[in-house]
Amino acid sequence: MMTPAQEILNNISLKDIPSILGKLTESEQHQLLFELEKLAELKDKELAQDKFLAFVVKVWPSFIAGRHHAKMAAAFEEVANGTCKRLIINMPPRHTKSEFASYLLPAWFLGKFPGKKIIETAHTAELAVGFGRKVRNLVDSDAYKSIFPGVGLQSDSKAAGRWATNHGGDYFAIGVGGAVTGKGADILIIDDPHSEQEATVAESNPEIYDKTYEWYTSGPRQRLQPGGAIVIVMTRWSKKDLTGQVLKSAMQRGGEEW
């Protein structure tokens, strides 16, 4: 049975509330305020579930958004809803691209689709596992559970770089060159596959870039689930880096559209 406050909310517009407050008893006013707070919390939760930036603000209250963040967020939403299958984001260091792509995106995506699988890669296994630890801890936090109630870690998931959700989803982190045998991905995230030090060496030995591309095509690229998406987020170093070779291959073979 609905309370008087719930009946009011069901039958009038919010803009009409000030005009009827004087007609309510003090108890009814308190109840109405309580219902309005519940309604606001519900809308905030639904917005954070649907919109990436709203999710970021909820779990990272000190975050300050810029225009490039809005563009990344819009692209991630297209990846999540299936309208974008191949995404490349190229930005200089210190633009929050790793925090967005390797930390917040996996957590948000698994909240929306807790039964899906993610493979996260970075130029070292240590860095990739570090991201895995942050994502795992966020999924296990109270702030996260307030947005995605019912989504959490599988009871025996302890490893930072390899864990599962309580809905059968899977997160796996590896460094460039690592093996992905037996793993699948609904989203493959490749975050800065070349380090700055590697790029310096590659100036005199560009074959280093070829090894990364060969690993990508023969390893994680082959682990993509049907309909899965690839997200490459990196600083550009050369025309032969991973972004350059992926785009060159796509143009030459008339294949994937990035």
Side-chain angles (χ1 to χ4, degrees), residues 75-93:
F76 291 159
E77 288 165 12
E78 290 185 17
V79 170
N81 66 30
T83 57
C84 175
K85 300 295 186 183
R86 301 292 183 270
L87 174 65
I88 293 175
I89 296 176
N90 293 146
M91 288 184 184

PDB file of all heavy atoms in Angstrom, residues 75-93:
ATOM      1  N   ALA A  75      32.592   7.628 -26.407  1.00  0.00           N
ATOM      2  CA  ALA A  75      33.102   6.485 -27.178  1.00  0.00           C
ATOM      3  C   ALA A  75      32.947   5.187 -26.385  1.00  0.00           C
ATOM      4  O   ALA A  75      32.567   4.145 -26.938  1.00  0.00           O
ATOM      5  CB  ALA A  75      34.563   6.716 -27.535  1.00  0.00           C
ATOM      6  N   PHE A  76      33.213   5.225 -25.084  1.00  0.00           N
ATOM      7  CA  PHE A  76      33.068   4.028 -24.257  1.00  0.00           C
ATOM      8  C   PHE A  76      31.615   3.575 -24.192  1.00  0.00           C
ATOM      9  O   PHE A  76      31.327   2.371 -24.138  1.00  0.00           O
ATOM     10  CB  PHE A  76      33.598   4.289 -22.850  1.00  0.00           C
ATOM     11  CG  PHE A  76      35.087   4.464 -22.761  1.00  0.00           C
ATOM     12  CD1 PHE A  76      35.663   5.122 -21.689  1.00  0.00           C
ATOM     13  CD2 PHE A  76      35.924   3.976 -23.755  1.00  0.00           C
ATOM     14  CE1 PHE A  76      37.035   5.284 -21.600  1.00  0.00           C
ATOM     15  CE2 PHE A  76      37.301   4.133 -23.688  1.00  0.00           C
ATOM     16  CZ  PHE A  76      37.854   4.791 -22.601  1.00  0.00           C
ATOM     17  N   GLU A  77      30.699   4.524 -24.177  1.00  0.00           N
ATOM     18  CA  GLU A  77      29.282   4.160 -24.169  1.00  0.00           C
ATOM     19  C   GLU A  77      28.898   3.461 -25.470  1.00  0.00           C
ATOM     20  O   GLU A  77      28.090   2.524 -25.469  1.00  0.00           O
ATOM     21  CB  GLU A  77      28.428   5.407 -23.947  1.00  0.00           C
ATOM     22  CG  GLU A  77      28.505   5.935 -22.513  1.00  0.00           C
ATOM     23  CD  GLU A  77      27.966   7.343 -22.351  1.00  0.00           C
ATOM     24  OE1 GLU A  77      27.319   7.839 -23.301  1.00  0.00           O
ATOM     25  OE2 GLU A  77      28.196   7.951 -21.288  1.00  0.00           O
ATOM     26  N   GLU A  78      29.496   3.882 -26.587  1.00  0.00           N
ATOM     27  CA  GLU A  78      29.231   3.210 -27.861  1.00  0.00           C
ATOM     28  C   GLU A  78      29.801   1.796 -27.855  1.00  0.00           C
ATOM     29  O   GLU A  78      29.216   0.875 -28.430  1.00  0.00           O
ATOM     30  CB  GLU A  78      29.818   4.020 -29.018  1.00  0.00           C
ATOM     31  CG  GLU A  78      29.096   5.326 -29.280  1.00  0.00           C
ATOM     32  CD  GLU A  78      29.634   6.043 -30.503  1.00  0.00           C
ATOM     33  OE1 GLU A  78      30.325   5.393 -31.315  1.00  0.00           O
ATOM     34  OE2 GLU A  78      29.373   7.248 -30.649  1.00  0.00           O
ATOM     35  N   VAL A  79      30.962   1.626 -27.230  1.00  0.00           N
ATOM     36  CA  VAL A  79      31.537   0.281 -27.097  1.00  0.00           C
ATOM     37  C   VAL A  79      30.600  -0.593 -26.265  1.00  0.00           C
ATOM     38  O   VAL A  79      30.300  -1.739 -26.619  1.00  0.00           O
ATOM     39  CB  VAL A  79      32.936   0.345 -26.446  1.00  0.00           C
ATOM     40  CG1 VAL A  79      33.419  -1.061 -26.074  1.00  0.00           C
ATOM     41  CG2 VAL A  79      33.939   1.000 -27.389  1.00  0.00           C
ATOM     42  N   ALA A  80      30.110  -0.058 -25.159  1.00  0.00           N
ATOM     43  CA  ALA A  80      29.253  -0.829 -24.266  1.00  0.00           C
ATOM     44  C   ALA A  80      27.932  -1.208 -24.923  1.00  0.00           C
ATOM     45  O   ALA A  80      27.422  -2.320 -24.708  1.00  0.00           O
ATOM     46  CB  ALA A  80      28.998  -0.045 -22.976  1.00  0.00           C
ATOM     47  N   ASN A  81      27.362  -0.293 -25.718  1.00  0.00           N
ATOM     48  CA  ASN A  81      26.066  -0.615 -26.336  1.00  0.00           C
ATOM     49  C   ASN A  81      26.211  -1.337 -27.672  1.00  0.00           C
ATOM     50  O   ASN A  81      25.206  -1.651 -28.321  1.00  0.00           O
ATOM     51  CB  ASN A  81      25.189   0.641 -26.479  1.00  0.00           C
ATOM     52  CG  ASN A  81      25.760   1.666 -27.445  1.00  0.00           C
ATOM     53  OD1 ASN A  81      26.449   1.347 -28.407  1.00  0.00           O
ATOM     54  ND2 ASN A  81      25.466   2.940 -27.189  1.00  0.00           N
ATOM     55  N   GLY A  82      27.453  -1.607 -28.077  1.00  0.00           N
ATOM     56  CA  GLY A  82      27.688  -2.435 -29.255  1.00  0.00           C
ATOM     57  C   GLY A  82      27.751  -1.706 -30.577  1.00  0.00           C
ATOM     58  O   GLY A  82      27.922  -2.337 -31.622  1.00  0.00           O
ATOM     59  N   THR A  83      27.646  -0.372 -30.583  1.00  0.00           N
ATOM     60  CA  THR A  83      27.696   0.360 -31.857  1.00  0.00           C
ATOM     61  C   THR A  83      29.122   0.670 -32.299  1.00  0.00           C
ATOM     62  O   THR A  83      29.332   1.064 -33.433  1.00  0.00           O
ATOM     63  CB  THR A  83      26.895   1.676 -31.755  1.00  0.00           C
ATOM     64  OG1 THR A  83      27.422   2.472 -30.681  1.00  0.00           O
ATOM     65  CG2 THR A  83      25.422   1.390 -31.493  1.00  0.00           C
ATOM     66  N   CYS A  84      30.085   0.503 -31.407  1.00  0.00           N
ATOM     67  CA  CYS A  84      31.494   0.676 -31.773  1.00  0.00           C
ATOM     68  C   CYS A  84      32.249  -0.587 -31.370  1.00  0.00           C
ATOM     69  O   CYS A  84      32.279  -0.945 -30.191  1.00  0.00           O
ATOM     70  CB  CYS A  84      32.100   1.890 -31.077  1.00  0.00           C
ATOM     71  SG  CYS A  84      33.879   2.105 -31.369  1.00  0.00           S
ATOM     72  N   LYS A  85      32.849  -1.247 -32.350  1.00  0.00           N
ATOM     73  CA  LYS A  85      33.580  -2.492 -32.093  1.00  0.00           C
ATOM     74  C   LYS A  85      35.100  -2.300 -32.097  1.00  0.00           C
ATOM     75  O   LYS A  85      35.826  -3.156 -31.597  1.00  0.00           O
ATOM     76  CB  LYS A  85      33.219  -3.531 -33.162  1.00  0.00           C
ATOM     77  CG  LYS A  85      31.748  -3.891 -33.214  1.00  0.00           C
ATOM     78  CD  LYS A  85      31.289  -4.588 -31.943  1.00  0.00           C
ATOM     79  CE  LYS A  85      29.856  -5.079 -32.078  1.00  0.00           C
ATOM     80  NZ  LYS A  85      29.378  -5.700 -30.810  1.00  0.00           N
ATOM     81  N   ARG A  86      35.577  -1.208 -32.684  1.00  0.00           N
ATOM     82  CA  ARG A  86      37.016  -0.984 -32.786  1.00  0.00           C
ATOM     83  C   ARG A  86      37.298   0.483 -32.464  1.00  0.00           C
ATOM     84  O   ARG A  86      36.918   1.385 -33.226  1.00  0.00           O
ATOM     85  CB  ARG A  86      37.518  -1.310 -34.197  1.00  0.00           C
ATOM     86  CG  ARG A  86      37.268  -2.752 -34.643  1.00  0.00           C
ATOM     87  CD  ARG A  86      38.103  -3.738 -33.859  1.00  0.00           C
ATOM     88  NE  ARG A  86      37.918  -5.096 -34.319  1.00  0.00           N
ATOM     89  CZ  ARG A  86      37.005  -5.942 -33.852  1.00  0.00           C
ATOM     90  NH1 ARG A  86      36.181  -5.537 -32.890  1.00  0.00           N
ATOM     91  NH2 ARG A  86      36.907  -7.171 -34.314  1.00  0.00           N
ATOM     92  N   LEU A  87      37.962   0.722 -31.346  1.00  0.00           N
ATOM     93  CA  LEU A  87      38.189   2.083 -30.871  1.00  0.00           C
ATOM     94  C   LEU A  87      39.668   2.318 -30.596  1.00  0.00           C
ATOM     95  O   LEU A  87      40.312   1.520 -29.912  1.00  0.00           O
ATOM     96  CB  LEU A  87      37.389   2.324 -29.586  1.00  0.00           C
ATOM     97  CG  LEU A  87      37.623   3.651 -28.867  1.00  0.00           C
ATOM     98  CD1 LEU A  87      37.161   4.829 -29.719  1.00  0.00           C
ATOM     99  CD2 LEU A  87      36.909   3.655 -27.507  1.00  0.00           C
ATOM    100  N   ILE A  88      40.200   3.409 -31.134  1.00  0.00           N
ATOM    101  CA  ILE A  88      41.568   3.839 -30.841  1.00  0.00           C
ATOM    102  C   ILE A  88      41.509   5.232 -30.227  1.00  0.00           C
ATOM    103  O   ILE A  88      40.863   6.128 -30.775  1.00  0.00           O
ATOM    104  CB  ILE A  88      42.443   3.868 -32.101  1.00  0.00           C
ATOM    105  CG1 ILE A  88      42.670   2.446 -32.632  1.00  0.00           C
ATOM    106  CG2 ILE A  88      43.798   4.524 -31.805  1.00  0.00           C
ATOM    107  CD1 ILE A  88      43.428   2.401 -33.952  1.00  0.00           C
ATOM    108  N   ILE A  89      42.173   5.401 -29.099  1.00  0.00           N
ATOM    109  CA  ILE A  89      42.312   6.708 -28.466  1.00  0.00           C
ATOM    110  C   ILE A  89      43.801   7.012 -28.347  1.00  0.00           C
ATOM    111  O   ILE A  89      44.530   6.286 -27.672  1.00  0.00           O
ATOM    112  CB  ILE A  89      41.653   6.732 -27.068  1.00  0.00           C
ATOM    113  CG1 ILE A  89      40.141   6.523 -27.197  1.00  0.00           C
ATOM    114  CG2 ILE A  89      41.947   8.048 -26.361  1.00  0.00           C
ATOM    115  CD1 ILE A  89      39.415   6.445 -25.871  1.00  0.00           C
ATOM    116  N   ASN A  90      44.254   8.050 -29.022  1.00  0.00           N
ATOM    117  CA  ASN A  90      45.658   8.468 -28.971  1.00  0.00           C
ATOM    118  C   ASN A  90      45.756   9.801 -28.252  1.00  0.00           C
ATOM    119  O   ASN A  90      45.162  10.791 -28.699  1.00  0.00           O
ATOM    120  CB  ASN A  90      46.240   8.607 -30.384  1.00  0.00           C
ATOM    121  CG  ASN A  90      46.340   7.274 -31.119  1.00  0.00           C
ATOM    122  OD1 ASN A  90      46.172   7.227 -32.328  1.00  0.00           O
ATOM    123  ND2 ASN A  90      46.594   6.200 -30.402  1.00  0.00           N
ATOM    124  N   MET A  91      46.474   9.822 -27.159  1.00  0.00           N
ATOM    125  CA  MET A  91      46.668  11.046 -26.370  1.00  0.00           C
ATOM    126  C   MET A  91      48.060  11.022 -25.749  1.00  0.00           C
ATOM    127  O   MET A  91      48.629   9.949 -25.537  1.00  0.00           O
ATOM    128  CB  MET A  91      45.636  11.149 -25.251  1.00  0.00           C
ATOM    129  CG  MET A  91      44.229  11.459 -25.698  1.00  0.00           C
ATOM    130  SD  MET A  91      43.155  11.662 -24.243  1.00  0.00           S
ATOM    131  CE  MET A  91      41.577  11.883 -25.059  1.00  0.00           C
ATOM    132  N   PRO A  92      48.592  12.208 -25.439  1.00  0.00           N
ATOM    133  CA  PRO A  92      49.870  12.262 -24.728  1.00  0.00           C
ATOM    134  C   PRO A  92      49.719  11.712 -23.312  1.00  0.00           C
ATOM    135  O   PRO A  92      48.600  11.491 -22.832  1.00  0.00           O
ATOM    136  CB  PRO A  92      50.195  13.768 -24.694  1.00  0.00           C
ATOM    137  CG  PRO A  92      49.294  14.398 -25.691  1.00  0.00           C
ATOM    138  CD  PRO A  92      48.073  13.545 -25.749  1.00  0.00           C
ATOM    139  N   PRO A  93      50.830  11.489 -22.626  1.00  0.00           N
ATOM    140  CA  PRO A  93      50.747  11.062 -21.225  1.00  0.00           C
ATOM    141  C   PRO A  93      50.039  12.111 -20.362  1.00  0.00           C
ATOM    142  O   PRO A  93      49.922  13.269 -20.733  1.00  0.00           O
ATOM    143  CB  PRO A  93      52.228  10.931 -20.819  1.00  0.00           C
ATOM    144  CG  PRO A  93      52.976  10.744 -22.096  1.00  0.00           C
ATOM    145  CD  PRO A  93      52.216  11.533 -23.116  1.00  0.00           C
TER     146      PRO A  93
END
